[in-house]
Amino acid sequence: MSDATGRPDGPGAGLVGRDAELDGIRSFLSAVEVDGGALLLLGEPGLGKTTLLDAAAEMATAAGMRVLRAAGVQFEADVSFAGLHQALLPLLDRLDGLAPPQRAALSVAMGSGEGPSPQRPVVVEATLALLRQVARADPVVVILDDLQWVDRVSASVLGSVARRAAGTRVGFLAAVRPDAGGFFELGGLPGYELEPLAEEAAADLMARGFPGLEERVRHRVLSEAQGNPLALLELPTALSRHRHPAVSALPAFLPLSRRLQTLFGSRVADLPARPREALLLAALDGTGDLGILRVAVRAHVGDDELREVNRSRLLLVNEEAGRVSFRHPLIRSAVVELSSDEERRRAHRTLADTLTGHPDRQAWHLAQATVEPDEEVAASLEQVAHRVLRRGDGAGAVTALTRSADLSPIPADRARRLAEAAFVGADLRGESGNASRWLLDARQADPDAGNSLHAASAAAFLLTIGESDVDTAHRVLVGAIETGSHHYDARDPALIAALHTLVLLSWHGGRPELWRPLHAALDRLTPGVPEILAVQSRTAADPIRVDACVLATLDALIAGLAEESDPVTIARVGMAAISPDRLSGCRDALWRVVRVGREGGFSRRYAGSLSMMCFDYFAAGEWDRVDELAEEGLEVCTGPEAEFFEWCFLYSRAMLAAARGDADMARKLAVEVTRAAPRGVRTAQMFAEQVRLLAALGSGDIEDAYAHATAVSPAGTLPSHVPNALWVAMDLVESAVRTGRHDAAAAHAAALQDAGLAAISPRLAMVTAASAAAVADGDGATALFEQALAVPGSGRWPFEKARVALLYGENRRRARATVEAQALLTSAANTFERLGARPWAARANRELRASGYGVRQADIWGSTLTSQERAIADLAASGLSNKQIAERLYLSHRTVGAHLYRIYPKLGISSRAALRDALDAANDSPED
């Protein structure tokens, strides 16, 4: 048998004008059976997304796949894990097959277990493990409707699952309204945009559904519906209430969604009052859990009404699966809009009474049921805020805190909660407008709120974001700390948060006097300073003088990040790890923060983690990765809230330009670093000087290099509170030696040894020994260079290690130890060429030629292309556009353009047209 389209009977056979979409879904499901994957259906309301999902579910079931369904609920968007609970509820009995940590996390997330709120990355891994476990027997497809209304935490978890579905036999098929907002990050997932039905298909659908419809009404409906299938089916039904419907009876000049809302409202309004109340409970609960709805309906209206609603076909009840769902999401909206405020409050109260085992959802329903201030409800919601904040959900915490403030009967409590909302909003989300409004509301509620620590911390962030004034922000925060009523109790979270903020401001300020109020406050803390704060305040302030105990504590904190998902903790430990050269140990944890940030949009922790990873990957010699992360950072730093971080990414790009030999670009970017930084950020000035120093060394302007090196760190001294003083130590010694300032070079080398820097990190041990070697003579220099290159673990800093080998090779060549020199210089040149450090590769090759070693032309420039640059060059030479190359290599077109900008001078060409010949010449260069 077949339908009118000629397609065999089966799932979706009755759909009109959707043959291509059905074929696409079949292809997707076939791919899922083998490998897994994800697909988004995008379309305006009424285009048939839900119907296509129904067809997909039927196809998958017929193919022997396991189908899991859920739908986003507009009124549950603030309830963490509501969407995930819907999707995974049928698999609740399969949790025992998971590892204990994953089982515990998913049990708590789904409300079936007790324990602390699970962290999102753990829930992601647990969800993937559960789905993979089920998929071993049969492929699994998760079908999710109304993605735009899924709660933030579920959206993050399901988004991660969708992006990692390949290779798992797990499919993710979701429908979403374009431009409808929501928390799910759509970028990077394949999508198919539904269009309205073509004119012929729309007419066919109308003819099938309403063969006897009056011709003039038919034309008007076709005109008004504009190919929207739901409107095509619903408008004639509404018109049929009139014996002789006039064309003018249809509403004119109204948005389609509003017309459909009106139509659905009329369907709901036709029901008696008690079934409407049952519908309202289902709409406001939104989980689709038949058990919860049944208890609520029994308490509120009675069991018979649920059966009446089921007969109406507005709400579909699946007894076997224990689920309920609305025939279309717009029905849910219409149910809520048609209810009165009192009816909604009564329904929320009933649901709160029902959800005794779900404290977060219960608190939200209580908040919606409460009109007058109620401290018990407000306190409950404040606890919800703190729980979701521990999961890294800053936006959810802010929503809960602001609602809690609305319900606070005492002005001081209202002010305190608003101040905390302002702090969380500014700290985690970088929100300036909202945070400013909340602070103003807090002060209006209680004038003393302006002196609270949360208010002061929020104000400090706003001063750096809005007015870009670090010094004023520092004064505001110090004043609040010194005059607060916290009694320096280390168990006060607001005080500890304020002190961490003070660390950040002082680090950016880069002056000793900014740190003194912090250390004075730490001395007064009782019963003691928290570990992370104690370590961070030492390593960020003066890493040169940290002792072994502090470093041991830092190493333990970094080891603890393996199981950590709180972005605040990760960011704080990461900041402590920057100067002591321990960022590599934080890399996995920082990546977790970045992945969450990518799914949730800009946040301070996201931007901060990106900038720290740029530092780490530059040190590790993974410069292409630095380029990509710096570009990502600059792309997210577009609003006033994010501009505070822009200078960090400009610095990373400037360092890359200097290291790769583009001195002009490096100097331009150095100017941008200081321009982009807020007022009072002396650290940015020091970082810009480091860029100019490296650019000068690369271009051979050694006098200029010495001037920039001593601007960061005067010769013979190791200044405190200058974060990059330890990063320029060997540069200063080298430039001093090469400009004939032997006394200055010796003094600085001695200062490095006297400070005991070798005990801090392998890099500093290597730098200390190499600096001493640079000012030593004869066998003493040889022994020290050998010591520097033999430091265990120093290979994690390939650029600096290759520079030590270069200095040593130059030393050996001058001493006429040709064989030793050639080995050292060859090793250095190979590393520089691999990194793309063109000036240093050229210098090493010059030294090799001076030693009598032949260097082929390809060694001078051809091999300085990194593997990614070579791939880009080959694709560009084949005729692909930047956009096509970007799609092929999973980069942005801007990154491709930036790479080509560097590739041309490396190959000695100036245009794309010369690229193929240049690459052929490099490949044809004869071997030695």
Side-chain angles (χ1 to χ4, degrees), residues 11-12 25 48-61 69 143 145 173 316 325 327:
I25 289 173
K49 300 185 297 297
T50 299
T51 304
L52 284 169
L53 292 184
D54 291 339
E58 292 179 21
M59 292 179 194
T61 301
R69 297 201 67 170
I143 299 181
D145 205 355
L173 178 62
L316 308 179
S325 60
R327 190 172 68 82

Side-chain angles (χ1 to χ4, degrees), residues 523-553:
D523 289 341
R524 300 180 65 183
L525 278 184
T526 56
V529 184
E531 270 191 343
I532 296 179
L533 180 58
V535 171
Q536 191 187 58
S537 63
R538 294 289 302 280
T539 62
D542 194 2
I544 295 166
R545 293 160 187 88
V546 296
D547 56 40
C549 291
V550 172
L551 293 174
T553 304

Side-chain angles (χ1 to χ4, degrees), residues 8-217:
D9 282 346
L15 291 178
V16 175
R18 295 300 188 201
D19 291 353
E21 288 81 359
L22 290 169
D23 287 340
I25 289 173
R26 287 189 182 90
S27 297
F28 166 73
L29 292 175
S30 297
V32 169
E33 287 186 278
V34 177
D35 191 49
L39 179 66
L40 299 178
L41 298 179
L42 299 97
E44 296 296 338
L47 288 183
K49 300 185 297 297
T50 299
T51 304
L52 284 169
L53 292 184
D54 291 339
E58 292 179 21
M59 292 179 194
T61 301
M65 304 174 73
R66 181 69 181 267
V67 177
L68 303 174
R69 297 201 67 170
V73 182
Q74 188 174 13
F75 312 106
E76 291 280 336
D78 292 321
V79 180
S80 297
F81 294 117
L84 190 68
H85 181 274
Q86 281 192 70
L88 300 186
L89 188 63
L91 304 182
L92 196 59
D93 60 344
R94 303 292 292 271
L95 297 187
D96 289 342
L98 299 179
Q102 294 177 338
R103 181 172 65 247
L106 209 49
S107 295
V108 174
M110 295 181 66
S112 63
E114 298 291 334
S117 298
Q119 303 296 335
R120 273 182 288 183
V122 180
V123 177
V124 169
E125 295 300 330
T127 302
L128 277 169
L130 179 63
L131 293 174
R132 286 173 180 148
Q133 172 188 310
V134 175
R136 291 193 193 107
D138 299 301
V140 177
V141 60
V142 180
I143 299 181
L144 185 59
D145 205 355
D146 280 319
L147 194 56
Q148 71 276 0
W149 288 337
V150 172
D151 63 280
R152 181 182 296 274
V153 181
S154 296
S156 174
V157 172
L158 293 170
S160 297
V161 170
R163 286 173 175 80
R164 295 165 63 180
T168 63
R169 294 217 308 167
V170 174
F172 182 89
L173 178 62
V176 61
R177 298 182 187 181
D179 304 321
F183 303 120
F184 195 96
E185 177 57 49
L186 304 179
L189 291 176
Y192 184 90
E193 187 161 356
L194 289 181
E195 298 290 343
L197 293 177
E199 184 175 348
E200 182 178 350
D204 184 19
L205 181 62
M206 284 281 292
R208 293 187 187 197
F210 307 95
L213 196 63
E214 186 177 347
E215 190 61 24
R216 62 187 185 117
V217 176

Side-chain angles (χ1 to χ4, degrees), residues 649-776:
F649 300 112
L650 291 169
Y651 160 76
S652 292
R653 280 205 154 167
M655 287 292 289
L656 282 178
R660 287 167 164 166
D662 192 344
D664 290 340
M665 176 59 69
R667 295 185 185 102
K668 289 178 183 177
L669 288 171
V671 173
E672 290 298 302
V673 168
T674 55
R675 179 200 60 78
R679 288 196 305 272
V681 179
R682 183 170 179 265
T683 295
Q685 299 170 16
M686 295 298 100
F687 278 41
E689 290 292 343
Q690 183 189 0
V691 170
R692 297 183 181 103
L693 160 61
L694 192 62
L697 280 174
S699 58
D701 191 345
I702 310 305
E703 190 68 41
D704 193 40
Y706 180 77
H708 292 304
T710 52
V712 176
S713 177
T717 65
L718 297 174
S720 64
H721 315 100
V722 179
N724 59 336
L726 296 180
W727 297 350
V728 304
M730 192 170 71
D731 300 337
L732 194 156
V733 173
E734 179 186 350
S735 60
V737 169
R738 293 175 67 184
T739 57
R741 295 179 171 90
H742 297 288
D743 290 344
H748 207 67
L752 298 178
Q753 288 183 314
D754 293 343
L757 297 185
I760 295 178
S761 73
R763 183 188 72 83
L764 289 172
M766 177 177 64
V767 164
T768 299
S771 297
V775 299

Side-chain angles (χ1 to χ4, degrees), residues 888-911:
R888 185 80 59 89
L889 298 180
Y890 301 99
L891 301 171
S892 76
H893 69 277
R894 295 191 191 91
T895 296
V896 173
H899 279 304
L900 288 172
Y901 177 82
R902 291 190 299 273
I903 289 169
Y904 293 162
K906 286 184 180 183
L907 297 180
I909 61 177
S910 59
S911 70

